[in-house]
Structures are given as C-alpha cells and as structure tokens.
C-alpha cells in the first residue's frame, strides 16, 4: 500500500514514525507547509515520545531514512499534489483543514484512491470507528472518518454499558493540552483556550456527544459531554457518570469490561486493577484502558474511569484502518 500524509503535526509525525518500517506500507510522500529542515528536526526529536533512532538525511525536497526516500511537498491546496503520478492508495489527512467531503475530496481529485481523516469529519463523511462499526465500510466509500481519540474511547464504554440500558450519560474528558491552545495568555475567539495551557486547568467545549448520537441513535438526547484541559503534554482520563435502568454493582461493571477486553474487544480496550496515572498510559495502543480501581456505584448510578493516550492510542486505530483498506 502506497500512502501519503497531508499535515505533519502531532498525529502526522507519529504516524510517519510508526509506519516507516511497516513492511506492508510504503510512505511515499508527505505534505506540510513547514520548511523541510524543520520537519526533519521535529520527526527526529519529540518531547513526548523521545528521539527517533534512525538517521534522517535531507536531500532537496526529499527526506531519506535507511535508504528510503520520501518526497516532501509544501502545497496549501491538495488538488495540486501529484497523488495520481505517485500512485497513492491512501492519503492520511492529518492537517485538520480538510474534514468535509468537498475539501477532503481534493485528494481524490488529485488522484488518491482513498482518504482517511485523522479526526471526526463533517456529517457528510461516514463516521466509522474501528472495533465498533468498521464492517459498514463499502467499496463506494472513498473518504473515511475514524473519529477522534475521545470518540474511540467513549463509544465502546457506552455500547458495553448499554447492554444494561442507559438512562443518561455525562462524559467528561480530562485531556492534555493541545496545539489549539496558547502557551501564554493571548487573544482567542474561545477566551479560555487563549489562557496559558501549562498554567491552568481549563474547561473546553467539545461536541463528543454529537458523535455518540451519530453512532448510537438510541442515545439521542441522553448524553452530554465536556472536556477539561490539564497541564500535561500527553494522556487523558475519561470520566463517565451514567444512570442505568437497573441497579448494579461495581463488581458487575468491572466484569463486563474484563470480559470485553479479553474477548471481542481485545486490542481495542484494556482493563487494569493497578493504581496507574496518566504517564503510565504513554505509548499504550488501546483506545481506552478501564481503571477498575475507580469504578463506583450507588444504586443505578455508576461512575467509570478510562485512560487513553490521545496520540498513540488513536494512531493505532488509524493503522488498524490501513490494514482494513489493504485487505
């Protein structure tokens, strides 16, 4: 499979690092407006995941890694990229700027066969979550939204718990700060996002509940969502406060997730009884790790905590999707 990556931010660069040695995948090209030397530097040195062990050579508009030459483009308009000439099977659209059917379709116009977003796309793009509804992929779907890190964490928790029947659910994601926040106080149309990200606990509005309703129509008007950005560079903790139609015990809830983690959801969700913290999840490939030590129940009201690496876990699902598209 010949792939290209459009947008070499946090997700694009991590995918590049992880895919460069994949024997089933050839990284043919990347596109980002940053200078090539800056791109090579940011691939090599990463503040979260450490130094890339392989030597990177810059040669004009190419980077070379272990005799593999990857073309580097700096085009703002995807339609001008030579995807047809390069015979690109899949473009990983990681810029965040082309998440509607019309905009993501520019890659198809340029000659790519498929586009896999790195986010929850607009409503006109199928929302297909690996491990949940990937079987709905059909041959005529050329643009795929695999959701985001929060969606991939939350949908499995709600779906499993809905076997008991959910009355209502509130999801609060304690999430590491992101590039859409400011390092120091600065103007921002969302005032709180403009505050210094590493200095405060910052509430941020999200539309995760809309994705849950798209994926599970039975949850219409039953789910709410919020997020709090915390001063860490990586990792997240999802806190679920859920009312069920019947009384349960913490032991019953934990058993549900243990069985899921060991059977049909193996590799997608995990379960732990260890007293972990966010740093322990760094590099974890699961969409969520249920923390059984923090499950709490009063009557029919339960609270559940799930950890996830918002970058590594999510890129793991994108790589799973490449496996589906390659088969």
């Amino acid at each position: 499979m010949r792939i290209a990556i459009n947008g070499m931010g946090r997700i694009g660069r991590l995918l590049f690092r992880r895919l460069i040695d994949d024997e089933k995948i050839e990284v043919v090209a990347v596109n980002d407006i940053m200078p090539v030397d800056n791109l090579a530097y940011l691939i090599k040195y990463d503040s979260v995941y450490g130094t890339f062990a392989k030597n990177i050579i810059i040669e004009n508009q190419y980077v070379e890694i272990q005799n593999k030459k990857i073309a580097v483009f700096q085009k703002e308009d995807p339609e001008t990229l030579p995807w047809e000439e390069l015979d690109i099977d899949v473009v990983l659209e990681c810029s965040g700027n082309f998440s509607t059917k019309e905009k993501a379709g520019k890659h198809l116009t340029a000659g790519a066969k498929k586009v896999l977003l790195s986010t929850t796309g607009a409503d006109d793009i199928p929302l297909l979550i690996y491990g949940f509804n990937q079987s709905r992929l059909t041959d005529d779907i050329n643009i795929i939204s695999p959701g985001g890190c929060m969606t991939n964490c939350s949908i499995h928790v709600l779906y499993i718990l809905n076997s008991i029947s959910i009355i209502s659910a509130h999801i609060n994601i304690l999430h590491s700060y992101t590039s859409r926040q400011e390092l120091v106080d600065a103007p921002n149309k969302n005032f709180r996002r403009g505050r210094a990200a590493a200095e405060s606990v910052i509430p941020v509005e999200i539309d995760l509940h809309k994705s849950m309703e798209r994926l599970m129509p039975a949850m219409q008007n039953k789910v709410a969502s919020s997020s709090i950005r915390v001063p860490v560079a990586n990792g997240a903790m999802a806190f679920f406060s859920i009312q069920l139609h019947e009384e349960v015990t913490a032991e019953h809830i934990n058993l549900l997730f243990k069985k899921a983690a060991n059977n049909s959801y193996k590799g997608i969700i995990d379960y732990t009884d260890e007293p972990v913290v966010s740093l322990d999840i760094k590099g974890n490939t699961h969409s969520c790790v249920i923390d059984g030590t923090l499950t709490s129940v009063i009557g029919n009201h339960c609270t559940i905590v799930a950890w996830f690496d918002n970058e590594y876990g999510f890129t793991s699902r994108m790589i799973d999707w490449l496996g589906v598209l390659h088969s």
Side-chain angles (χ1 to χ4, degrees):
M1 174 181 281
R2 294 170 64 82
I3 71 160
I5 304 174
N6 188 58
M8 292 294 283
R10 294 297 306 159
I11 297 300
R13 295 197 301 272
L14 183 55
L15 282 166
F16 182 94
R17 279 180 162 215
R18 297 187 65 186
L19 293 173
I20 197 67
D21 284 333
D22 193 314
E23 294 181 356
K24 297 179 181 178
I25 292 169
E26 181 180 0
V27 181
V28 177
V30 300
N31 181 54
D32 195 287
I33 59 174
M34 80 173 83
V36 179
D37 57 347
N38 200 171
L39 173 60
Y41 173 83
L42 289 173
I43 291 172
K44 186 172 181 64
Y45 298 106
D46 189 281
S47 298
V48 173
Y49 298 108
T51 303
F52 191 48
K54 299 174 177 58
N55 190 36
I56 303 174
I57 300 170
I58 302 171
E59 183 181 329
N60 297 321
Q61 287 300 114
Y62 290 87
V63 292
E64 182 177 326
I65 301 174
Q66 292 184 327
N67 298 318
K68 299 177 182 177
K69 293 182 71 173
I70 300 98
V72 180
F73 301 101
Q74 295 168 302
K75 305 288 188 181
E76 293 187 6
D77 184 356
E79 285 188 345
T80 65
L81 290 162
W83 297 156
E84 183 173 12
E85 177 185 339
L86 295 174
D87 192 26
I88 298 299
D89 294 305
V90 180
V91 171
L92 303 179
E93 172 44 58
C94 301
S95 72
N97 296 323
F98 303 94
S99 57
T100 66
K101 188 174 183 179
E102 178 183 1
K103 291 182 177 180
K106 290 176 178 286
H107 292 294
L108 302 176
T109 302
K113 300 177 182 68
K114 301 279 186 182
V115 179
L116 178 63
L117 304 184
S118 68
T119 186
T120 299
D123 290 346
D124 58 0
I125 297 176
L127 181 56
L128 301 174
I129 307 301
Y130 188 88
F132 178 71
N133 66 343
Q134 76 272 17
S135 61
R136 295 182 185 175
L137 178 68
T138 55
D139 291 340
D140 62 324
I141 297 177
N142 296 321
I143 304 173
I144 300 166
S145 165
C149 59
M150 292 186 285
T151 303
N152 276 266
C153 168
S154 301
I155 188 58
H156 306 301
V157 175
L158 292 188
Y159 184 76
I160 290 169
L161 279 181
N162 204 40
S163 63
I164 304 173
S165 188
I166 295 172
I167 297 174
S168 64
H170 187 100
I171 310 168
N172 187 17
I173 310 288
L174 280 72
H175 196 291
S176 54
Y177 55 80
T178 73
S179 61
R180 290 194 292 168
Q181 294 174 254
E182 303 292 345
L183 184 61
V184 297
D185 288 356
N188 193 299
K189 64 180 181 180
N190 183 317
F191 289 0
R192 283 174 169 154
R193 283 185 188 267
R195 300 299 300 279
E199 293 295 331
S200 289
V201 172
I202 301 175
V204 171
E205 291 183 4
I206 57 172
D207 60 359
L208 175 62
H209 56 286
K210 294 181 180 178
S211 296
M212 296 299 100
E213 290 176 348
R214 284 179 65 186
L215 292 164
M216 291 179 62
M219 293 301 297
Q220 192 77 30
N221 300 319
K222 292 183 180 181
V223 59
S225 61
S226 59
S227 180
I228 298 175
R229 300 296 162 84
V230 294
V232 297
N234 176 258
M237 186 183 86
F239 182 87
F240 298 84
S241 179
I242 297 176
Q243 281 191 307
L244 299 167
H245 273 287
E246 60 185 70
E247 294 190 1
V248 292
T249 64
E251 290 75 19
H252 178 56
I253 294 292
N254 285 345
L255 184 60
L256 277 178
F257 286 105
K258 279 183 183 179
K259 288 183 175 179
N262 290 324
N263 295 285
S264 57
Y265 285 87
K266 191 174 183 64
I268 304 296
I269 71 171
D270 201 5
Y271 177 90
T272 184
D273 282 319
E274 299 289 330
V276 298
V277 297
S278 63
L279 190 63
D280 302 320
I281 306 300
K282 185 169 71 173
N284 191 292
T285 60
H286 294 87
S287 294
C288 63
V289 179
I290 303 298
D291 191 328
T293 69
L294 297 176
T295 302
S296 177
V297 174
I298 300 176
N300 69 332
H301 184 192
C302 67
T303 57
I304 295 162
V305 168
W307 301 94
F308 60 98
D309 183 324
N310 47 291
E311 296 175 347
Y312 214 90
F314 178 63
T315 55
S316 296
R317 300 293 78 76
M318 290 188 70
I319 292 170
D320 285 339
W321 262 114
L322 289 178
V324 171
L325 296 174
H326 190 261
S327 61

